[in-house]
Amino acid sequence: MAKALIRPRAVPKAAPDFTSRAYWNGTIKMSLSKFFILCVLHERPMHGYDIATAVEEGGYVTVEAEVVSGRERKVYTLTNRGREAFKVAVEAWMDVTRCLIASEHVAAGGGRKRSSQNRCR
């Protein structure tokens, strides 16, 4: 007599609650993390083990070691490619910002307002 294969049932993933502020906060924070890394480095070179290795590997930053008070630190600096990525990211987020401002008007009951300048793309 052959044994029947018993497979555990996959637990269905709960659908996200799009009415939850926590859902949107989490989504926005995850999306913005790379932007914020570039934003911080755009201001000045900085230290930090917590700066994502992926950014370094992507050619967006350079890293140099320096000794401060007898301790070695890494200093990250944007490359030209990193500066370009920052510029493109700001432009993209400004498009989103314009869309959000237009959507706020709609959500407040002001009707549907669309112009060539504030279209959500």
Side-chain angles (χ1 to χ4, degrees):
M1 187 174 210
K3 286 187 173 182
L5 283 177
I6 300 174
R7 292 185 182 165
R9 287 185 178 212
V11 177
K13 208 175 198 182
D17 180 2
F18 295 125
T19 63
S20 166
R21 184 77 175 233
Y23 168 80
W24 290 106
N25 285 345
T27 299
I28 291 166
K29 286 176 185 174
M30 284 189 325
S31 300
L32 289 174
S33 62
K34 290 178 182 143
F35 172 74
F36 285 132
I37 290 168
L38 294 174
C39 185
V40 170
L41 290 174
H42 190 264
E43 296 296 318
R44 63 178 174 76
M46 63 179 293
H47 306 275
Y49 179 78
D50 57 340
I51 295 176
T53 304
V55 175
E56 179 184 348
E57 291 173 354
Y60 298 101
V61 298
T62 59
V63 61
E64 291 185 26
E66 71 178 18
V67 178
V68 177
S69 301
R71 292 182 47 201
E72 186 176 286
R73 293 181 170 185
K74 292 181 180 180
V75 178
Y76 297 84
T77 306
L78 285 176
T79 61
N80 287 337
R81 186 176 180 195
R83 280 188 260 299
E84 180 63 23
F86 177 77
K87 179 182 170 192
V88 171
V90 168
E91 291 167 356
W93 280 104
M94 290 308 299
D95 287 343
V96 171
T97 300
R98 285 186 283 276
C99 181
L100 289 171
I101 290 168
S103 298
E104 180 180 36
H105 177 73
V106 172
R112 188 172 190 163
K113 182 180 176 185
R114 293 195 120 198
S115 73
S116 61
Q117 291 181 341
N118 65 9
R119 269 191 203 137
C120 297
R121 298 175 210 176

